[in-house]
Amino acid sequence: AYIAQSLRLPEEEAFEQARKRDISRAEFVFTHFHRKPSDIHAFDLLLNSSLLGEEACCDLIVQAAQAKVRMMHGG
């Protein structure tokens, strides 16, 4: 429904767009990280950018990356 509304498409066409995006994302994750997107234990952080906004997500990613580096270096 969100894609149909934001792209102003009929629901059937929006469903097909969403399906294609899901497949494309899954292929990207598998190709680059050799993981299935459904394997939540393969990820350090999952964020909902629609809810949090892009700027907040960027801030959280930076904080998480810095914390991971500190942990890896024993501090």
Side-chain angles (χ1 to χ4, degrees):
Y2 172 78
I3 291 175
Q5 184 179 12
S6 67
L7 298 179
R8 297 183 179 138
L9 296 172
E11 282 202 27
E12 287 180 17
E13 198 173 325
F15 177 81
E16 185 61 26
Q17 287 289 326
R19 190 183 71 75
K20 286 179 182 178
R21 288 179 185 193
D22 287 345
I23 291 169
S24 197
R25 287 182 181 132
E27 288 174 351
F28 176 86
V29 170
F30 188 77
T31 299
H32 295 284
F33 304 108
H34 310 290
R35 303 275 192 223
K36 292 182 180 179
S38 59
D39 181 8
I40 62 168
H41 300 289
F43 302 97
D44 294 325
L45 187 65
L46 299 173
L47 301 172
N48 182 337
S49 60
S50 295
L51 178 66
L52 299 170
E54 291 178 6
E55 188 172 335
C57 286
C58 289
D59 292 341
L60 290 167
I61 291 166
V62 168
Q63 289 176 32
Q66 290 171 339
K68 188 172 183 177
V69 168
R70 285 192 301 272
M71 288 178 57
M72 291 172 60
H73 294 287

